Amino acid sequence: MAAAITVAATEATEEAAMSFFDEYEIIVGESKKTAFVNEIGIYQDGTTPMYRDKDGKLWAMSGHSHMGHIGMFCGTELSDMKECYPIKTMFSVGKAGEAFDGIRYPEGILPRGSIWPFGLYICPNTHRFFCFFHNEGGWNGKGTGYDAWGLCEKPAVDSDFRHVGLMHSDDEGKHWVFDRWVLTGEQVCFTERYNPADDCAKGQSEGIIRLGCGDFSLFEEGEYLYLFYNIARVDMTKKVWDGCDVYVARTRKRSDGVMGDFVKYYDGSFCEAGNLGKETPIAQNSWHPRVVRLKEHDCYLLSSCHVNAGAATHVIEDVMELRIGTDLIHWTPPIRLEKNGIPFGNHYGAILPKGDQASPFECGNDFYICLNHNGTDVVAWDGQIHRKDV
């Protein structure tokens, strides 16, 4: 295993990371269908979370709660995964006052909207399944959805607010109980223009606002679980995205089937509360980050898509960008993935290992590149790391 995470990158490790793409290139091969497809009612919107349990089974969740269904999948590796059953939540989603058992966001606002599962963890001692999910307040609110300006059916310039929630299952993902909200932005989830609680709490000032924690993925190493997440910024005056950066938080794994709280990375260390704490970005203008360890190179690979800050259209480029790090905090400038000399990727991208023993968080030189857009089939492409002089 790689050495424990450090919060200070040395000149030597920075230089080693920078040299990776001087020595190596990623070759994209042929594509193949995955199990996560529209024809069975799965409309994946984000990267697909996976986890291998202590018995060697590889589990995955795919879909979201307001289109088709969320399915639980199992197999030995990506190529042979099949849907086991649709999941059932023991709580409702959608309308404020009914959704999420009325357990308020940390800002005091009644929760609403859907769930997008983006992180899966299985406790090796209790076999309890944990799912971390993305939630937005502007979609599927059944009359209570809102964005930066007020009530909406579709948020203007995607200006609704995000949180990361946690649910668990004790029957291998058949039934899920809502636990709590685990990641919340430092800034509250409403503005001076509209406070859905209509109380005395002060909303974000009109101008450049932050939309909270979301659009994330899970990474496991050593004694910690990490969430790499986005916070998008919107300029309310110009009605455009002002940017979208990457942040990270972590929690220490427990052995008793209980999930601890997350701590955000801020100003050089993991020190701020997961809910309402401060955070320092670790990469700029990068959409939907996902991390995997390259075990044969003893480094980390962060994949994402570029965000065109200030653009009126094509805000997110559907091309995979790659960064190398020797810890989980410091990353090289990105390079764009290409196939036959042409920029390659999609709105969401994940690098996943091949083989029936591999952790979904670690891969060799031969792997899958899984791509999809909003609600589309997930397609797996063969990927390989090659030396440039071979």
Side-chain angles (χ1 to χ4, degrees):
M1 297 295 291
I5 183 173
T6 62
V7 296
T10 66
E11 291 183 5
T13 56
E14 287 178 331
E15 184 177 346
M18 290 291 289
S19 68
F20 182 88
F21 290 119
D22 291 333
E23 296 183 40
Y24 299 99
E25 62 183 338
I26 294 179
I27 305 298
V28 181
E30 300 303 313
S31 66
K32 62 188 68 176
K33 188 177 180 179
T34 71
F36 317 121
V37 292
N38 294 175
E39 65 190 69
I40 63 169
I42 297 296
Y43 296 87
Q44 181 62 22
D45 190 2
T47 59
T48 301
M50 296 185 182
Y51 198 86
R52 192 176 297 279
D53 70 16
K54 66 177 182 179
D55 299 317
K57 292 181 180 178
L58 183 64
W59 295 87
M61 300 178 75
S62 194
H64 59 97
S65 62
H66 70 271
M67 180 181 291
H69 68 275
I70 301 170
M72 206 76 214
F73 294 75
C74 189
T76 64
E77 73 133 44
L78 177 66
S79 64
D80 65 10
M81 298 200 87
K82 293 181 172 58
E83 185 176 18
C84 303
Y85 30 75
I87 76 162
K88 180 175 176 58
T89 58
M90 307 308 290
F91 57 93
S92 67
V93 297
K95 187 175 182 180
E98 300 173 1
F100 303 103
D101 296 331
I103 299 174
R104 294 174 183 263
Y105 298 136
E107 301 96 323
I109 303 298
L110 282 170
R112 63 207 73 199
S114 292
I115 62 174
W116 288 260
F118 289 163
L120 179 64
Y121 172 71
I122 302 171
C123 175
N125 300 308
T126 64
H127 204 57
R128 172 169 282 179
F129 285 34
F130 291 95
C131 173
F132 299 95
F133 62 83
H134 171 91
N135 165 257
E136 294 185 29
W139 296 96
N140 191 36
K142 298 182 178 178
T144 66
Y146 72 99
D147 62 15
W149 286 272
L151 291 171
C152 68
E153 289 297 320
K154 178 181 178 181
V157 294
D158 276 328
S159 70
D160 58 338
F161 297 89
R162 284 91 159 136
H163 295 84
V164 178
L166 173 67
M167 60 184 183
H168 77 267
S169 169
D170 287 341
D171 56 6
E172 297 188 325
K174 296 183 182 73
H175 300 87
W176 293 86
V177 174
F178 178 66
D179 292 327
R180 65 188 191 275
W181 304 102
V182 297
L183 274 187
T184 303
E186 180 190 2
Q187 291 77 20
V188 296
C189 62
F190 53 94
T191 67
E192 291 179 335
R193 287 282 292 267
Y194 181 72
N195 177 353
D198 193 25
D199 60 17
C200 68
K202 181 177 173 58
Q204 294 187 55
S205 299
E206 186 164 352
I208 295 175
I209 62 168
R210 287 166 170 77
L211 302 182
C213 305
D215 305 295
F216 67 94
S217 65
L218 179 72
F219 179 77
E220 176 190 43
E221 185 166 79
E223 63 177 325
Y224 291 103
L225 298 175
Y226 297 85
L227 294 179
F228 288 86
Y229 62 98
N230 277 144
I231 295 179
R233 301 184 304 275
V234 164
D235 186 324
M236 290 182 66
T237 302
K238 297 179 180 178
K239 289 196 173 182
V240 296
W241 273 30
D242 179 70
C244 181
D245 297 334
V246 177
Y247 303 79
V248 63
R250 74 182 186 184
T251 186
R252 179 177 51 84
K253 292 187 292 185
R254 299 173 58 96
S255 61
D256 53 7
V258 173
M259 185 61 62
D261 287 337
F262 278 82
V263 180
K264 293 176 178 176
Y265 177 77
Y266 171 70
D267 195 24
S269 66
F270 287 95
C271 61
E272 282 281 323
N275 285 318
L276 299 172
K278 295 181 179 181
E279 49 242 314
T280 296
I282 59 172
Q284 281 74 43
N285 287 322
S286 299
W287 168 250
H288 207 85
R290 185 153 172 156
V291 172
V292 65
R293 181 172 177 264
L294 301 179
K295 62 182 179 180
E296 296 177 30
H297 303 275
D298 197 23
C299 64
Y300 305 96
L301 182 67
L302 186 153
S303 58
S304 59
C305 290
H306 181 67
V307 175
N308 289 314
T313 60
H314 300 98
V315 178
I316 298 170
E317 296 183 21
D318 296 340
V319 175
M320 181 176 277
E321 287 193 334
L322 302 171
R323 291 175 167 87
I324 293 292
T326 53
D327 59 24
L328 296 175
I329 302 299
H330 305 91
W331 300 94
T332 62
I335 65 135
R336 290 189 169 193
L337 185 62
E338 295 184 349
K339 178 176 170 57
N340 299 324
I342 299 171
F344 178 79
N346 208 329
H347 206 61
Y348 302 107
I351 291 177
L352 291 165
K354 294 183 177 180
D356 59 8
Q357 302 295 317
S359 161
F361 310 113
E362 184 175 74
C363 68
N365 286 331
D366 191 12
F367 47 83
Y368 297 110
I369 303 169
C370 290
L371 302 175
N372 59 285
H373 211 285
N374 295 321
T376 67
D377 292 352
V378 178
V379 177
W381 297 77
D382 289 322
Q384 289 187 331
I385 297 174
H386 284 194
R387 278 192 178 274
K388 289 185 176 180
D389 58 354
V390 173

